[in-house]
Amino acid sequence: MEQTKALDALAPFLALSKSATSPRAAADLITRATSAPNTFVFAELLQTPQIQALAQSPEFAPHLDLLHVFSYGTYQTYRAASDLPALVEAQALKLRQLSLLTLARDRANLSYDSLQGALDLSSARQLEDLVIKAVYQGLLHATLDPARQAVQVTSVAPLRDLQPGSIPNMTAALNAWSDRCTTTLADLEAQIRDIRYAAAVRAMETKTADEKLRRLMGELRDTDNSQDLPSRDGLPRRGINKRAMLETGSSAVDETMELDEPYLPEEQTKRASKRKM
């Protein structure tokens, strides 16, 4: 969204560039474009023939160099050059905002002292005003931490043009990142295969153990049932034995009774008579 707004803000200056046929008109167009409050990307303006023609003009070529600084440079880049045009107040604010976007990508640059030196600001209050304005414009999401004298940045809008020669480096970095991702995914897939294989082995072992346990339990039940059931010959034999025991017991009782009774001749005679009868 921020890029769309920035491109829309640059569109009128792209249209005006077609009529900037003189070096002075092209230089003036650069000043107006870099001073506008909502212009933050300038790559398309740099590519127009009228702006590129400034490289052939010794008087206005520094304006072309200044546009390069606004595209992908910083406030320190501007201060390091000695032949660039002086900045009006709006241009100075814009270049500091653009520089803040670049510096905010590295946490090592976010202390008050570091930012004040990089942006050529004389006080912490000026730095805080600059950050607050950038947050209000949607250039970045950040909070101020006066206790730690640092700016806490969570996100930065993609509003800087690419520096010439940076695309091959970015391509190489992206290719290296892609290779690392491919290697990592291959390692993860190998680990997943190992985990699935181990899970299948455990499932098979568990199934085999369960089947063996069920088989053993069945054998134990069969053994217990065979011990509890009586044999076919058991019951008759037990009946016969009990009957024999009863008969033996009764005869033994009779004999005991006969032995206990006193032995008299008269009783013997009576018994003999009874037997004859």
PDB file of all heavy atoms in Angstrom, residues 115-145:
ATOM      1  N   LEU A 115      21.613   7.141  15.949  1.00  0.00           N
ATOM      2  CA  LEU A 115      20.700   7.767  14.997  1.00  0.00           C
ATOM      3  C   LEU A 115      20.945   9.271  14.879  1.00  0.00           C
ATOM      4  O   LEU A 115      20.884   9.830  13.771  1.00  0.00           O
ATOM      5  CB  LEU A 115      19.254   7.499  15.416  1.00  0.00           C
ATOM      6  CG  LEU A 115      18.755   6.055  15.249  1.00  0.00           C
ATOM      7  CD1 LEU A 115      17.374   5.899  15.858  1.00  0.00           C
ATOM      8  CD2 LEU A 115      18.745   5.651  13.778  1.00  0.00           C
ATOM      9  N   GLN A 116      21.223   9.919  15.993  1.00  0.00           N
ATOM     10  CA  GLN A 116      21.487  11.349  15.926  1.00  0.00           C
ATOM     11  C   GLN A 116      22.735  11.648  15.095  1.00  0.00           C
ATOM     12  O   GLN A 116      22.753  12.594  14.291  1.00  0.00           O
ATOM     13  CB  GLN A 116      21.676  11.914  17.346  1.00  0.00           C
ATOM     14  CG  GLN A 116      20.380  12.065  18.120  1.00  0.00           C
ATOM     15  CD  GLN A 116      20.620  12.591  19.530  1.00  0.00           C
ATOM     16  OE1 GLN A 116      20.114  12.046  20.514  1.00  0.00           O
ATOM     17  NE2 GLN A 116      21.412  13.647  19.651  1.00  0.00           N
ATOM     18  N   GLY A 117      23.768  10.812  15.250  1.00  0.00           N
ATOM     19  CA  GLY A 117      24.973  11.024  14.454  1.00  0.00           C
ATOM     20  C   GLY A 117      24.745  10.748  12.986  1.00  0.00           C
ATOM     21  O   GLY A 117      25.229  11.489  12.121  1.00  0.00           O
ATOM     22  N   ALA A 118      23.994   9.680  12.669  1.00  0.00           N
ATOM     23  CA  ALA A 118      23.774   9.329  11.271  1.00  0.00           C
ATOM     24  C   ALA A 118      22.865  10.312  10.557  1.00  0.00           C
ATOM     25  O   ALA A 118      23.000  10.541   9.346  1.00  0.00           O
ATOM     26  CB  ALA A 118      23.183   7.918  11.183  1.00  0.00           C
ATOM     27  N   LEU A 119      21.944  10.924  11.291  1.00  0.00           N
ATOM     28  CA  LEU A 119      20.964  11.822  10.680  1.00  0.00           C
ATOM     29  C   LEU A 119      21.307  13.305  10.888  1.00  0.00           C
ATOM     30  O   LEU A 119      20.525  14.171  10.478  1.00  0.00           O
ATOM     31  CB  LEU A 119      19.572  11.528  11.248  1.00  0.00           C
ATOM     32  CG  LEU A 119      19.060  10.099  11.019  1.00  0.00           C
ATOM     33  CD1 LEU A 119      17.747   9.886  11.746  1.00  0.00           C
ATOM     34  CD2 LEU A 119      18.918   9.802   9.532  1.00  0.00           C
ATOM     35  N   ASP A 120      22.425  13.550  11.529  1.00  0.00           N
ATOM     36  CA  ASP A 120      22.896  14.929  11.767  1.00  0.00           C
ATOM     37  C   ASP A 120      21.849  15.721  12.554  1.00  0.00           C
ATOM     38  O   ASP A 120      21.459  16.821  12.166  1.00  0.00           O
ATOM     39  CB  ASP A 120      23.216  15.623  10.436  1.00  0.00           C
ATOM     40  CG  ASP A 120      24.001  16.920  10.645  1.00  0.00           C
ATOM     41  OD1 ASP A 120      24.642  17.048  11.703  1.00  0.00           O
ATOM     42  OD2 ASP A 120      23.943  17.791   9.757  1.00  0.00           O
ATOM     43  N   LEU A 121      21.397  15.143  13.667  1.00  0.00           N
ATOM     44  CA  LEU A 121      20.439  15.789  14.553  1.00  0.00           C
ATOM     45  C   LEU A 121      21.151  16.158  15.853  1.00  0.00           C
ATOM     46  O   LEU A 121      21.928  15.371  16.399  1.00  0.00           O
ATOM     47  CB  LEU A 121      19.248  14.869  14.842  1.00  0.00           C
ATOM     48  CG  LEU A 121      18.409  14.471  13.617  1.00  0.00           C
ATOM     49  CD1 LEU A 121      17.378  13.419  13.999  1.00  0.00           C
ATOM     50  CD2 LEU A 121      17.741  15.694  13.002  1.00  0.00           C
ATOM     51  N   SER A 122      20.836  17.347  16.369  1.00  0.00           N
ATOM     52  CA  SER A 122      21.575  17.858  17.522  1.00  0.00           C
ATOM     53  C   SER A 122      20.981  17.477  18.868  1.00  0.00           C
ATOM     54  O   SER A 122      21.625  17.660  19.904  1.00  0.00           O
ATOM     55  CB  SER A 122      21.673  19.388  17.437  1.00  0.00           C
ATOM     56  OG  SER A 122      20.361  19.955  17.403  1.00  0.00           O
ATOM     57  N   SER A 123      19.748  16.934  18.910  1.00  0.00           N
ATOM     58  CA  SER A 123      19.124  16.623  20.183  1.00  0.00           C
ATOM     59  C   SER A 123      18.236  15.393  20.054  1.00  0.00           C
ATOM     60  O   SER A 123      17.790  15.023  18.961  1.00  0.00           O
ATOM     61  CB  SER A 123      18.285  17.800  20.684  1.00  0.00           C
ATOM     62  OG  SER A 123      17.165  18.001  19.832  1.00  0.00           O
ATOM     63  N   ALA A 124      17.969  14.767  21.218  1.00  0.00           N
ATOM     64  CA  ALA A 124      17.079  13.611  21.243  1.00  0.00           C
ATOM     65  C   ALA A 124      15.661  14.018  20.868  1.00  0.00           C
ATOM     66  O   ALA A 124      14.916  13.232  20.271  1.00  0.00           O
ATOM     67  CB  ALA A 124      17.101  12.966  22.626  1.00  0.00           C
ATOM     68  N   ARG A 125      15.268  15.231  21.195  1.00  0.00           N
ATOM     69  CA  ARG A 125      13.923  15.711  20.870  1.00  0.00           C
ATOM     70  C   ARG A 125      13.722  15.759  19.354  1.00  0.00           C
ATOM     71  O   ARG A 125      12.657  15.374  18.841  1.00  0.00           O
ATOM     72  CB  ARG A 125      13.698  17.085  21.490  1.00  0.00           C
ATOM     73  CG  ARG A 125      12.311  17.670  21.213  1.00  0.00           C
ATOM     74  CD  ARG A 125      11.210  16.756  21.748  1.00  0.00           C
ATOM     75  NE  ARG A 125       9.898  17.260  21.451  1.00  0.00           N
ATOM     76  CZ  ARG A 125       9.233  18.117  22.244  1.00  0.00           C
ATOM     77  NH1 ARG A 125       9.791  18.566  23.372  1.00  0.00           N
ATOM     78  NH2 ARG A 125       8.032  18.518  21.927  1.00  0.00           N
ATOM     79  N   GLN A 126      14.722  16.213  18.617  1.00  0.00           N
ATOM     80  CA  GLN A 126      14.604  16.232  17.161  1.00  0.00           C
ATOM     81  C   GLN A 126      14.459  14.820  16.598  1.00  0.00           C
ATOM     82  O   GLN A 126      13.682  14.582  15.665  1.00  0.00           O
ATOM     83  CB  GLN A 126      15.832  16.922  16.557  1.00  0.00           C
ATOM     84  CG  GLN A 126      15.896  18.415  16.804  1.00  0.00           C
ATOM     85  CD  GLN A 126      17.147  19.025  16.194  1.00  0.00           C
ATOM     86  OE1 GLN A 126      18.207  18.380  16.100  1.00  0.00           O
ATOM     87  NE2 GLN A 126      17.041  20.284  15.773  1.00  0.00           N
ATOM     88  N   LEU A 127      15.223  13.893  17.181  1.00  0.00           N
ATOM     89  CA  LEU A 127      15.126  12.499  16.728  1.00  0.00           C
ATOM     90  C   LEU A 127      13.738  11.936  17.020  1.00  0.00           C
ATOM     91  O   LEU A 127      13.140  11.277  16.149  1.00  0.00           O
ATOM     92  CB  LEU A 127      16.197  11.646  17.412  1.00  0.00           C
ATOM     93  CG  LEU A 127      16.123  10.140  17.151  1.00  0.00           C
ATOM     94  CD1 LEU A 127      16.326   9.839  15.674  1.00  0.00           C
ATOM     95  CD2 LEU A 127      17.158   9.401  18.004  1.00  0.00           C
ATOM     96  N   GLU A 128      13.229  12.182  18.200  1.00  0.00           N
ATOM     97  CA  GLU A 128      11.909  11.657  18.551  1.00  0.00           C
ATOM     98  C   GLU A 128      10.819  12.257  17.668  1.00  0.00           C
ATOM     99  O   GLU A 128       9.896  11.540  17.240  1.00  0.00           O
ATOM    100  CB  GLU A 128      11.629  11.963  20.022  1.00  0.00           C
ATOM    101  CG  GLU A 128      12.496  11.153  20.985  1.00  0.00           C
ATOM    102  CD  GLU A 128      12.327  11.569  22.430  1.00  0.00           C
ATOM    103  OE1 GLU A 128      11.682  12.640  22.657  1.00  0.00           O
ATOM    104  OE2 GLU A 128      12.821  10.866  23.332  1.00  0.00           O
ATOM    105  N   ASP A 129      10.919  13.529  17.347  1.00  0.00           N
ATOM    106  CA  ASP A 129       9.951  14.153  16.437  1.00  0.00           C
ATOM    107  C   ASP A 129      10.005  13.506  15.056  1.00  0.00           C
ATOM    108  O   ASP A 129       8.957  13.277  14.425  1.00  0.00           O
ATOM    109  CB  ASP A 129      10.223  15.646  16.328  1.00  0.00           C
ATOM    110  CG  ASP A 129       9.862  16.395  17.602  1.00  0.00           C
ATOM    111  OD1 ASP A 129       9.123  15.823  18.429  1.00  0.00           O
ATOM    112  OD2 ASP A 129      10.341  17.536  17.777  1.00  0.00           O
ATOM    113  N   LEU A 130      11.227  13.211  14.589  1.00  0.00           N
ATOM    114  CA  LEU A 130      11.381  12.575  13.277  1.00  0.00           C
ATOM    115  C   LEU A 130      10.757  11.182  13.271  1.00  0.00           C
ATOM    116  O   LEU A 130      10.052  10.804  12.319  1.00  0.00           O
ATOM    117  CB  LEU A 130      12.856  12.498  12.905  1.00  0.00           C
ATOM    118  CG  LEU A 130      13.187  11.830  11.564  1.00  0.00           C
ATOM    119  CD1 LEU A 130      12.671  12.673  10.406  1.00  0.00           C
ATOM    120  CD2 LEU A 130      14.686  11.602  11.433  1.00  0.00           C
ATOM    121  N   VAL A 131      10.982  10.404  14.330  1.00  0.00           N
ATOM    122  CA  VAL A 131      10.434   9.041  14.405  1.00  0.00           C
ATOM    123  C   VAL A 131       8.914   9.090  14.496  1.00  0.00           C
ATOM    124  O   VAL A 131       8.212   8.320  13.828  1.00  0.00           O
ATOM    125  CB  VAL A 131      11.031   8.293  15.616  1.00  0.00           C
ATOM    126  CG1 VAL A 131      10.334   6.951  15.812  1.00  0.00           C
ATOM    127  CG2 VAL A 131      12.531   8.096  15.429  1.00  0.00           C
ATOM    128  N   ILE A 132       8.389   9.992  15.302  1.00  0.00           N
ATOM    129  CA  ILE A 132       6.931  10.105  15.447  1.00  0.00           C
ATOM    130  C   ILE A 132       6.280  10.461  14.111  1.00  0.00           C
ATOM    131  O   ILE A 132       5.244   9.902  13.736  1.00  0.00           O
ATOM    132  CB  ILE A 132       6.590  11.148  16.527  1.00  0.00           C
ATOM    133  CG1 ILE A 132       7.010  10.634  17.906  1.00  0.00           C
ATOM    134  CG2 ILE A 132       5.108  11.481  16.500  1.00  0.00           C
ATOM    135  CD1 ILE A 132       6.902  11.670  19.003  1.00  0.00           C
ATOM    136  N   LYS A 133       6.888  11.359  13.386  1.00  0.00           N
ATOM    137  CA  LYS A 133       6.344  11.747  12.078  1.00  0.00           C
ATOM    138  C   LYS A 133       6.397  10.586  11.091  1.00  0.00           C
ATOM    139  O   LYS A 133       5.462  10.374  10.298  1.00  0.00           O
ATOM    140  CB  LYS A 133       7.117  12.945  11.534  1.00  0.00           C
ATOM    141  CG  LYS A 133       6.530  13.508  10.243  1.00  0.00           C
ATOM    142  CD  LYS A 133       7.233  14.793   9.841  1.00  0.00           C
ATOM    143  CE  LYS A 133       6.899  15.914  10.814  1.00  0.00           C
ATOM    144  NZ  LYS A 133       7.430  17.225  10.364  1.00  0.00           N
ATOM    145  N   ALA A 134       7.493   9.800  11.136  1.00  0.00           N
ATOM    146  CA  ALA A 134       7.619   8.647  10.245  1.00  0.00           C
ATOM    147  C   ALA A 134       6.570   7.582  10.565  1.00  0.00           C
ATOM    148  O   ALA A 134       5.992   6.968   9.661  1.00  0.00           O
ATOM    149  CB  ALA A 134       9.025   8.059  10.349  1.00  0.00           C
ATOM    150  N   VAL A 135       6.303   7.391  11.858  1.00  0.00           N
ATOM    151  CA  VAL A 135       5.274   6.425  12.261  1.00  0.00           C
ATOM    152  C   VAL A 135       3.904   6.919  11.805  1.00  0.00           C
ATOM    153  O   VAL A 135       3.079   6.143  11.307  1.00  0.00           O
ATOM    154  CB  VAL A 135       5.314   6.208  13.785  1.00  0.00           C
ATOM    155  CG1 VAL A 135       4.115   5.382  14.239  1.00  0.00           C
ATOM    156  CG2 VAL A 135       6.612   5.528  14.191  1.00  0.00           C
ATOM    157  N   TYR A 136       3.648   8.195  11.955  1.00  0.00           N
ATOM    158  CA  TYR A 136       2.364   8.767  11.556  1.00  0.00           C
ATOM    159  C   TYR A 136       2.134   8.628  10.055  1.00  0.00           C
ATOM    160  O   TYR A 136       1.001   8.384   9.612  1.00  0.00           O
ATOM    161  CB  TYR A 136       2.307  10.234  11.959  1.00  0.00           C
ATOM    162  CG  TYR A 136       1.041  10.929  11.560  1.00  0.00           C
ATOM    163  CD1 TYR A 136      -0.147  10.735  12.268  1.00  0.00           C
ATOM    164  CD2 TYR A 136       1.018  11.792  10.451  1.00  0.00           C
ATOM    165  CE1 TYR A 136      -1.315  11.375  11.888  1.00  0.00           C
ATOM    166  CE2 TYR A 136      -0.148  12.430  10.072  1.00  0.00           C
ATOM    167  CZ  TYR A 136      -1.315  12.217  10.794  1.00  0.00           C
ATOM    168  OH  TYR A 136      -2.478  12.858  10.412  1.00  0.00           O
ATOM    169  N   GLN A 137       3.202   8.741   9.267  1.00  0.00           N
ATOM    170  CA  GLN A 137       3.075   8.608   7.812  1.00  0.00           C
ATOM    171  C   GLN A 137       3.052   7.153   7.353  1.00  0.00           C
ATOM    172  O   GLN A 137       2.882   6.893   6.163  1.00  0.00           O
ATOM    173  CB  GLN A 137       4.236   9.331   7.120  1.00  0.00           C
ATOM    174  CG  GLN A 137       4.153  10.842   7.207  1.00  0.00           C
ATOM    175  CD  GLN A 137       5.271  11.509   6.429  1.00  0.00           C
ATOM    176  OE1 GLN A 137       6.325  11.830   6.968  1.00  0.00           O
ATOM    177  NE2 GLN A 137       5.038  11.714   5.137  1.00  0.00           N
ATOM    178  N   GLY A 138       3.212   6.197   8.270  1.00  0.00           N
ATOM    179  CA  GLY A 138       3.191   4.782   7.898  1.00  0.00           C
ATOM    180  C   GLY A 138       4.496   4.293   7.331  1.00  0.00           C
ATOM    181  O   GLY A 138       4.519   3.225   6.697  1.00  0.00           O
ATOM    182  N   LEU A 139       5.594   5.021   7.551  1.00  0.00           N
ATOM    183  CA  LEU A 139       6.882   4.589   7.011  1.00  0.00           C
ATOM    184  C   LEU A 139       7.467   3.427   7.808  1.00  0.00           C
ATOM    185  O   LEU A 139       8.198   2.609   7.263  1.00  0.00           O
ATOM    186  CB  LEU A 139       7.870   5.760   7.009  1.00  0.00           C
ATOM    187  CG  LEU A 139       7.421   7.017   6.251  1.00  0.00           C
ATOM    188  CD1 LEU A 139       8.502   8.087   6.315  1.00  0.00           C
ATOM    189  CD2 LEU A 139       7.078   6.667   4.813  1.00  0.00           C
ATOM    190  N   LEU A 140       7.152   3.368   9.075  1.00  0.00           N
ATOM    191  CA  LEU A 140       7.613   2.268   9.918  1.00  0.00           C
ATOM    192  C   LEU A 140       6.722   2.158  11.150  1.00  0.00           C
ATOM    193  O   LEU A 140       5.971   3.082  11.468  1.00  0.00           O
ATOM    194  CB  LEU A 140       9.082   2.458  10.324  1.00  0.00           C
ATOM    195  CG  LEU A 140       9.517   3.795  10.937  1.00  0.00           C
ATOM    196  CD1 LEU A 140       9.177   3.873  12.410  1.00  0.00           C
ATOM    197  CD2 LEU A 140      11.024   3.983  10.766  1.00  0.00           C
ATOM    198  N   HIS A 141       6.812   1.011  11.817  1.00  0.00           N
ATOM    199  CA  HIS A 141       6.133   0.811  13.092  1.00  0.00           C
ATOM    200  C   HIS A 141       7.217   0.768  14.164  1.00  0.00           C
ATOM    201  O   HIS A 141       8.083  -0.107  14.148  1.00  0.00           O
ATOM    202  CB  HIS A 141       5.327  -0.484  13.088  1.00  0.00           C
ATOM    203  CG  HIS A 141       4.136  -0.446  12.192  1.00  0.00           C
ATOM    204  ND1 HIS A 141       4.205  -0.742  10.845  1.00  0.00           N
ATOM    205  CD2 HIS A 141       2.826  -0.122  12.440  1.00  0.00           C
ATOM    206  CE1 HIS A 141       3.003  -0.628  10.315  1.00  0.00           C
ATOM    207  NE2 HIS A 141       2.154  -0.238  11.247  1.00  0.00           N
ATOM    208  N   ALA A 142       7.164   1.715  15.078  1.00  0.00           N
ATOM    209  CA  ALA A 142       8.217   1.826  16.081  1.00  0.00           C
ATOM    210  C   ALA A 142       7.676   2.504  17.326  1.00  0.00           C
ATOM    211  O   ALA A 142       6.643   3.176  17.292  1.00  0.00           O
ATOM    212  CB  ALA A 142       9.413   2.602  15.522  1.00  0.00           C
ATOM    213  N   THR A 143       8.397   2.302  18.422  1.00  0.00           N
ATOM    214  CA  THR A 143       8.099   2.970  19.689  1.00  0.00           C
ATOM    215  C   THR A 143       9.385   3.560  20.249  1.00  0.00           C
ATOM    216  O   THR A 143      10.483   3.032  20.012  1.00  0.00           O
ATOM    217  CB  THR A 143       7.501   1.994  20.711  1.00  0.00           C
ATOM    218  OG1 THR A 143       8.411   0.900  20.904  1.00  0.00           O
ATOM    219  CG2 THR A 143       6.160   1.459  20.241  1.00  0.00           C
ATOM    220  N   LEU A 144       9.240   4.619  20.995  1.00  0.00           N
ATOM    221  CA  LEU A 144      10.378   5.280  21.616  1.00  0.00           C
ATOM    222  C   LEU A 144      10.596   4.717  23.020  1.00  0.00           C
ATOM    223  O   LEU A 144       9.633   4.477  23.751  1.00  0.00           O
ATOM    224  CB  LEU A 144      10.151   6.785  21.679  1.00  0.00           C
ATOM    225  CG  LEU A 144       9.984   7.499  20.334  1.00  0.00           C
ATOM    226  CD1 LEU A 144       9.548   8.949  20.550  1.00  0.00           C
ATOM    227  CD2 LEU A 144      11.281   7.447  19.536  1.00  0.00           C
ATOM    228  N   ASP A 145      11.849   4.527  23.372  1.00  0.00           N
ATOM    229  CA  ASP A 145      12.206   4.043  24.704  1.00  0.00           C
ATOM    230  C   ASP A 145      13.214   5.017  25.310  1.00  0.00           C
ATOM    231  O   ASP A 145      14.422   4.779  25.284  1.00  0.00           O
ATOM    232  CB  ASP A 145      12.796   2.635  24.609  1.00  0.00           C
ATOM    233  CG  ASP A 145      12.965   1.982  25.974  1.00  0.00           C
ATOM    234  OD1 ASP A 145      12.778   2.690  26.978  1.00  0.00           O
ATOM    235  OD2 ASP A 145      13.287   0.791  26.026  1.00  0.00           O
TER     236      ASP A 145
END
